[in-house]
């Protein structure tokens, strides 16, 4: 019998990442927590949706016309979906109760998938089926979160399920406006829902980014901004309501306050201290991007001449999308039992997402070169999300290490 192989110092210095698989694919593991199917589905759909919008718009023949479909799928099909996946997972940590798992999570994910397909089909009946499935997705997610926070008496998070209700309500109002053909009403409701999503992103970011940073950087002490955070969330709520009511100047004040507070907060979190940690600086960048976008929206609503789509793309791309590419990396690594460190593919995906933002803003600022810049932005976006899927899909469908 041969003697067991000893781990020599040279063995120890050969640092290798654990096997990417972690076992055979398992439906039980895949439906264990909300982030698994919803991160995978949301990111994959964001890749497909932008590829269709930029490179094959002729394929968009459903009842939602091109721009209405694009705006809807980016906000509710991608950004809000990732938010639901995060909240279903974070809810387990907050309350000790997993809001969605197993068959219930599978059913909710199936509703989401049916909605994505239905909105592409050129049929009025199928459109309304998709709308019902989508609203069911948000309603069931909200009910699951309510059960989790109320059963556990987790009063700090009593408002979270109602934010999910707000996302679903905004979705329903948007779809009704889209079928009614009233473009101004459509954009009014979209902008209000965008601010509700900003409220959720700022709430989550203000809680978890300082926590992640202080755990990762020894000796780092940064403020939580509880009071300013409450003011910020109230300002977002007022801003969303004023947008629905058409009160442009009042919404400008509220959105400007929320945006300035976001920028003050992220600067107070000592960004230079995390500049060497990609898992952190990407989150800082996304949070700051939301602040910049809200300030731009405030300026536009106060009468300052800005390109019409600039504030939306600053909030949605420079803010939400940058924050998402960092969050779906950091939280997936943590919940899958992986080291909290980026490899080259993860860092490249971050830089590609930032490049997509720069190119998209450039396309808005330079109308004469919009087409090539838009195609370049779409290519960078697709590449960024493809890298994430290539790296994380094998982990998300297998058991935790």
């Amino acid at each position: 019998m041969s003697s067991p192989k000893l781990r020599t110092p040279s063995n120890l210095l050969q640092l290798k990442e654990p096997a990417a698989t972690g076992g055979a694919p398992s439906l039980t593991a895949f439906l264990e927590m909300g982030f698994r199917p919803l991160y995978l589905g949301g990111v994959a759909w964001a890749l497909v949706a932008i590829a269709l919008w930029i490179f094959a718009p002729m394929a968009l023949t459903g009842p939602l016309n091109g721009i209405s479909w694009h705006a809807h799928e980016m906000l509710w099909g991608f950004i809000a979906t990732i938010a639901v996946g995060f909240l279903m997972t974070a809810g387990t940590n907050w309350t000790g109760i997993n809001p969605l798992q197993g068959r219930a999570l599978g059913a909710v994910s199936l509703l989401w998938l049916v909605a994505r397909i239905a909105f592409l089909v050129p049929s009025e009946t199928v459109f309304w089926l998709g709308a019902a499935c989508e609203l069911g997705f948000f309603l069931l997610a909200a009910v699951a979160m309510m059960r989790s926070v109320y059963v556990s008496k987790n009063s700090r998070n009593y408002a979270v399920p109602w934010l999910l209700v707000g996302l679903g309500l905004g979705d329903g109002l948007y779809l009704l406006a889209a079928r009614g053909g009233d473009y101004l009403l459509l954009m009014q409701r979209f902008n209000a829902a965008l601010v509700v999503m900003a409220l959720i992103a700022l709430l989550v970011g203000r809680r978890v980014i300082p926590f992640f940073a202080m755990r990762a950087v020894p000796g780092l002490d940064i403020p939580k901004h509880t009071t300013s955070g409450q003011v910020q969330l109230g300002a977002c709520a007022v801003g969303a309501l004023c947008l629905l009511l058409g009160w442009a100047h009042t919404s400008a004040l509220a959105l400007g306050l929320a945006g300035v507070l976001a920028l003050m907060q992220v600067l107070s979190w000592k960004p230079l201290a995390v500049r060497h940690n990609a898992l952190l600086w990407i989150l800082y960048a996304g949070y700051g991007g939301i602040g910049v976008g809200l300030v731009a929206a405030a300026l536009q609503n106060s009468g300052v001449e800005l390109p019409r789509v600039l504030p939306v793309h600053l909030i949605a791309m420079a803010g939400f999308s940058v924050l998402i590419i960092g969050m779906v990396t950091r939280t997936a690594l943590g919940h899958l039992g992986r080291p909290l460190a980026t490899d080259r593919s993860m860092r490249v995906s971050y830089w590609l997402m930032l490049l997509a933002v720069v190119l998209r803003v450039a396309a808005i600022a330079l109308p004469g070169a919009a087409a090539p810049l838009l195609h370049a932005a779409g290519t960078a976006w697709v590449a960024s999300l493809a890298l994430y899927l290539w790296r994380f899909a094998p982990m998300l469908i297998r058991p935790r290490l």
Side-chain angles (χ1 to χ4, degrees), residues 358-374:
V358 171
L359 291 169
R360 185 64 186 93
V361 172
I364 295 170
L366 303 169
L373 287 170
L374 195 59

Side-chain angles (χ1 to χ4, degrees), residues 67-368:
I67 187 67
S68 299
W69 178 87
H70 169 62
H72 179 270
E73 292 306 291
M74 285 298 97
L75 181 53
W76 284 283
F78 169 46
I79 295 165
T81 298
I82 299 297
V84 171
F86 176 87
L87 290 172
M88 291 300 104
T89 305
T92 306
N93 293 337
W94 296 339
T95 67
I97 300 172
N98 189 343
L100 273 178
Q101 60 182 320
R103 292 181 179 178
L105 177 57
V108 167
S109 302
L110 183 60
L111 288 174
W112 175 88
L113 180 60
V114 170
R116 304 283 70 76
I117 297 170
F119 291 137
L120 290 173
V121 176
S123 164
E124 194 76 17
T125 301
V126 175
F127 168 83
W128 291 114
L129 171 64
C133 288
E134 179 133 303
L135 296 180
F137 168 78
F138 286 109
L139 176 61
L140 291 177
V143 169
M145 183 61 76
M146 285 179 187
R147 182 183 68 86
S148 179
V149 298
Y150 291 135
V151 168
S152 65
K153 294 182 170 45
N154 186 251
S155 58
R156 186 187 183 200
N157 293 298
Y158 279 175
V160 172
W162 296 103
L163 295 177
L164 293 176
V165 170
L167 280 179
L169 180 62
D171 192 0
L173 291 174
Y174 180 91
L175 292 172
L176 287 173
R179 297 313 301 134
D182 187 335
Y183 180 76
L184 291 178
L185 181 62
L186 180 79
M187 293 313 300
Q188 184 184 69
R189 292 176 176 180
F190 174 82
N191 290 333
L194 191 74
V195 174
V196 172
M197 188 63 245
L199 189 161
I200 295 173
L202 292 171
L203 170 65
V204 169
R206 188 174 51 80
R207 285 188 183 183
V208 304
I209 295 173
F211 173 72
F212 290 162
M214 287 189 288
R215 287 193 65 183
V217 181
L220 181 63
D221 185 21
I222 54 180
K224 295 181 179 179
H225 290 295
T226 302
T227 301
S228 71
Q230 292 170 345
V231 173
Q232 182 184 54
L233 300 182
C236 283
V238 170
L241 180 61
C242 290
L243 287 171
L244 284 175
L245 296 173
W247 299 349
H249 291 289
T250 309
S251 71
L253 291 173
L255 298 179
L257 175 59
V260 168
L261 286 174
L263 294 174
M264 291 174 60
Q265 289 161 357
V266 78
L267 289 174
S268 76
W269 292 340
K270 303 176 183 176
L272 291 179
V274 305
R275 65 188 183 279
H276 299 302
N277 188 321
L279 282 176
L280 295 175
W281 64 248
I282 192 68
L283 298 177
Y284 278 55
Y287 194 91
I290 297 174
V292 171
L294 288 172
V295 170
L299 292 173
Q300 189 176 69
N301 284 325
S302 66
V304 175
E305 288 292 331
L306 292 175
R308 182 175 53 84
V309 298
L310 180 62
V312 168
H313 283 84
L314 286 175
I315 295 172
M317 283 192 73
F320 298 153
S321 299
V322 171
L323 190 62
I324 281 172
I325 195 66
M327 198 68 77
V328 296
T329 304
R330 170 58 173 79
T331 55
L333 288 173
H335 286 285
L336 292 170
R338 303 280 172 166
L340 294 177
T342 55
D343 62 17
R344 182 177 299 177
S345 71
M346 298 174 200
R347 293 190 295 274
V348 171
S349 74
Y350 294 173
W351 287 111
L352 284 168
M353 180 58 73
L354 293 172
L355 176 62
V357 172
V358 171
L359 291 169
R360 185 64 186 93
V361 172
I364 295 170
L366 303 169

